[in-house]
Amino acid sequence: MDCIFCKIAAGEIPSNKVFEDDQVLAFYDLDPQAPVHFLVIPKEHISGADQITAENSGVVAHIFEVIAKVTAELGLTGGFRVVTNCGEDGGQTVGHLHFHVLGRRSLAWPPG
Ligand code: AMP
Ligand code: ZN
């Protein structure tokens, strides 16, 4: 499968890593939308938030544990935002589940 985030997870494409374990990888976004902007992905290929099931949702819980840990380590005490874009209307451009974590600036709500 030709999936850029699977290749990043496998180390075939380099990334600026924030955190890694056997289940997940967190790395800085190439096109940051905030002073801190990283992505957290499952190493297992899940194409998007519409493909989360009872069988694979454990890694999603783990991703949120990693987000709490990494944002604390980065000192994002003012808060942060977690976003997953899904499908065309959601603005998803990479078909491998990923959670954007944005911080260190005040973020508007609702998003555009
Ligand atoms: P989305 O549009 O929600 O699917 O988000 C995809 C994100 O992946 C975008 O914010 C891109 O800037 C980011 N991105 C694409 N390729 C890479 C890469 N090789 N390394 C880091 N971030 C990437
Ligand atoms: Zn993939």
Side-chain angles (χ1 to χ4, degrees), residues 4-5 8 13-16 27-33 37 39 83-86 90-96 98 100:
I4 186 172
F5 284 1
I8 288 175
I13 292 176
S15 65
N16 189 0
F27 56 98
Y28 286 104
D29 198 293
L30 270 186
D31 182 22
Q33 302 302 312
H37 183 179
L39 305 172
V83 175
T84 188
N85 299 322
C86 184
Q92 183 178 8
T93 60
V94 176
H96 180 127
H98 53 283
H100 297 258

Side-chain angles (χ1 to χ4, degrees), residues 11-78:
E12 292 164 14
I13 292 176
S15 65
N16 189 0
K17 289 179 195 176
V18 192
F19 176 88
E20 180 171 19
D21 66 14
D22 56 328
Q23 293 182 70
V24 308
L25 178 67
F27 56 98
Y28 286 104
D29 198 293
L30 270 186
D31 182 22
Q33 302 302 312
V36 173
H37 183 179
F38 63 90
L39 305 172
V40 191
I41 67 169
K43 288 190 169 178
E44 165 197 6
H45 183 86
I46 299 170
S47 59
D50 56 348
Q51 299 301 317
I52 296 170
T53 65
E55 283 69 42
N56 65 21
S57 61
V59 72
V60 179
H62 184 58
I63 282 171
F64 275 82
E65 290 173 28
V66 167
I67 290 170
K69 174 182 154 67
V70 172
T71 52
E73 285 171 3
L74 293 174
L76 297 182
T77 51

